[in-house]
Amino acid sequence: MQTVWTLDEAVSKTTKAETQLKKFLLRQGLAFRGHDETKDSKNQASVIQKDIVNAAANETTKAIISDLRDDIFSILIDESRDVSIKEQMAIAIRYVDKKGHVLERFLGIVHVSDTTTVSLKMTLESLFCQHGLSLSRLCGQGYDGASNMQREFNGLKSLILRENEYAYYVHCFAHQLQLTLVAVAKNHISIASFFSLVTNLINVVRGSCKRRDMLQESQINKLVQALEIGEVSKGRGLNQETSLKRAGDTRWGSYYYTLINLILLLSSVGDVLEVIEEDGLNPEQRGEAYMQLQELNTRFTELLLCMACLDPSNSFSAFDKHKLILFVQFYPSDFSAFELMILENQAETYVIDMRSCDEFAKL
């Protein structure tokens, strides 16, 4: 009789074996992966790590199927390309265990050589067959609707529904919300233009390994200078390396982090663009870098000029009410329509009070 472990037992046993193997490899100073996996290899200790991982995966999957029993379940499928850009399907199941808990468990990643709808269904059925599952037990199916295989997944959904009318399809609501946010935002011309500028800028700066190295080097140099003059503090976890990443349409939050990183690296980005403008391989590269610099300088110079209108030197001689109002418009979420309306009168009162204040008279 075959022994079936619980999920906790499977994890415990495989973790113990894997830990012992790792200790041996570390003591011997051996690599965790080797290049010679033949039967005649004189040193197979460094290659059995792969076998341990596969064994752990198999036992864990057995525990999941055992926990599922003969109950109904739903599937969640997403596209998952590997580093070699091969199409793969990541498959998870969702079910209710005997304690009444709703669980999601990863079932596996399968390579898809042919991304036609029929091929996807055959691949899914093949995986189900390996684990004793059946399409007839499905009560739901879900896909993100935003992957490169969206059309094929729609076809797969239809084929499954033909065999099992109770396998109801549910579009991933998280992705629906993400796609809606992106679509609504980009429908605004100014926002679409701005993010187009940001995307082009990142593409230019990250266009090669050399440029990424230049960006990193500039960032490190500026950090060292800031540390020397005390502008930033030292400490564990502080001053981590920042990188520029393109935003993704299925992750609205990625736009926020892209902008934050761009602000942090703005000075270093300018340094890289200046180098490309001077030493680009061809006129197209130099011209693109020049245009990006001009765009950066124009937009950010306007922002800086607006900020400068609050300079208190020479009795607030640089004060400009209209520039102050324009400056406030850069931050629409911080000022209500009413506050904007009364700002003009408040600004005039403000500058009169400041110019009559003795504390600012000698600046």
Side-chain angles (χ1 to χ4, degrees), residues 108-121:
I109 293 181
V110 289
H111 173 61
V112 182
S113 57
D114 182 3
T115 58
T116 62
T117 300
V118 175
S119 178
L120 293 178
K121 182 172 179 290

Side-chain angles (χ1 to χ4, degrees), residues 76-117:
L76 303 171
I77 302 179
D78 196 2
E79 178 215 12
S80 178
R81 288 186 177 184
D82 63 8
V83 292
S84 61
I85 319 299
K86 291 181 180 179
E87 293 287 5
Q88 299 181 125
M89 283 198 309
I91 303 171
I93 60 173
R94 183 180 176 92
Y95 63 96
V96 179
D97 67 3
K98 57 187 177 183
K99 296 180 180 179
H101 300 147
V102 178
L103 303 177
E104 285 186 10
R105 293 290 183 255
F106 176 70
L107 194 60
I109 293 181
V110 289
H111 173 61
V112 182
S113 57
D114 182 3
T115 58
T116 62
T117 300

Side-chain angles (χ1 to χ4, degrees), residues 43-288:
N43 184 18
Q44 293 187 352
S46 60
V47 299
I48 59 175
Q49 174 78 1
K50 182 177 180 180
D51 295 332
I52 292 293
V53 172
N54 288 334
N58 291 334
E59 294 301 326
T60 301
T61 304
K62 286 180 182 178
I64 292 172
I65 299 302
S66 175
D67 190 45
L68 174 61
R69 296 165 292 161
D70 294 326
D71 289 344
I72 58 177
F73 62 94
S74 299
I75 56 170
L76 303 171
I77 302 179
D78 196 2
E79 178 215 12
S80 178
R81 288 186 177 184
D82 63 8
V83 292
S84 61
I85 319 299
K86 291 181 180 179
E87 293 287 5
Q88 299 181 125
M89 283 198 309
I91 303 171
I93 60 173
R94 183 180 176 92
Y95 63 96
V96 179
D97 67 3
K98 57 187 177 183
K99 296 180 180 179
H101 300 147
V102 178
L103 303 177
E104 285 186 10
R105 293 290 183 255
F106 176 70
L107 194 60
I109 293 181
V110 289
H111 173 61
V112 182
S113 57
D114 182 3
T115 58
T116 62
T117 300
V118 175
S119 178
L120 293 178
K121 182 172 179 290
M122 291 177 61
T123 302
L124 180 62
E125 288 179 325
S126 176
L127 181 66
F128 275 14
C129 184
Q130 293 177 26
H131 303 298
L133 302 175
S134 170
L135 292 178
S136 62
R137 292 168 55 188
L138 281 181
C139 63
Q141 49 180 323
Y143 317 97
D144 67 21
S147 71
N148 293 331
M149 297 196 294
Q150 180 180 357
R151 182 185 304 173
E152 289 78 5
F153 282 154
N154 286 334
L156 175 62
K157 169 194 68 177
S158 301
L159 286 181
I160 293 176
L161 283 172
R162 289 178 189 175
E163 292 193 20
N164 181 357
E165 61 180 338
Y166 300 106
Y168 298 108
Y169 168 73
V170 178
H171 188 4
C172 177
F173 289 106
H175 278 86
Q176 278 187 326
L177 178 59
Q178 298 283 351
L179 294 173
T180 301
L181 284 171
V182 173
V184 170
K186 288 191 173 181
N187 195 45
H188 194 290
I189 295 177
S190 297
I191 296 177
S193 175
F194 173 73
F195 280 117
S196 176
L197 168 66
V198 171
T199 300
N200 291 337
L201 176 63
I202 293 175
N203 288 340
V204 171
V205 175
R206 297 180 70 252
S208 67
C209 294
K210 181 179 179 181
R211 295 179 189 177
R212 288 194 288 269
D213 290 341
M214 290 166 51
L215 182 66
Q216 183 182 28
E217 183 180 355
S218 176
Q219 180 186 1
I220 293 174
N221 291 337
K222 293 182 184 300
L223 177 59
V224 171
Q225 294 175 3
L227 287 170
E228 289 177 348
I229 62 177
E231 285 188 353
V232 295
S233 302
K234 297 179 181 180
R236 185 175 183 179
L238 299 178
N239 310 315
Q240 297 295 310
E241 181 181 343
T242 306
S243 61
L244 287 177
K245 294 182 180 179
R246 286 185 287 268
D249 283 351
T250 58
R251 298 288 186 273
W252 177 247
S254 66
Y255 284 80
Y256 171 75
Y257 291 110
T258 295
L259 294 180
I260 292 296
N261 289 348
L262 180 57
I263 292 172
L264 294 174
L265 294 174
L266 188 61
S267 179
S268 297
V269 167
D271 292 342
V272 174
L273 290 175
E274 289 177 356
V275 173
I276 299 174
E277 182 186 12
E278 293 291 330
D279 304 325
L281 297 177
N282 52 59
E284 288 76 15
Q285 287 187 4
R286 295 193 291 271
E288 181 69 21

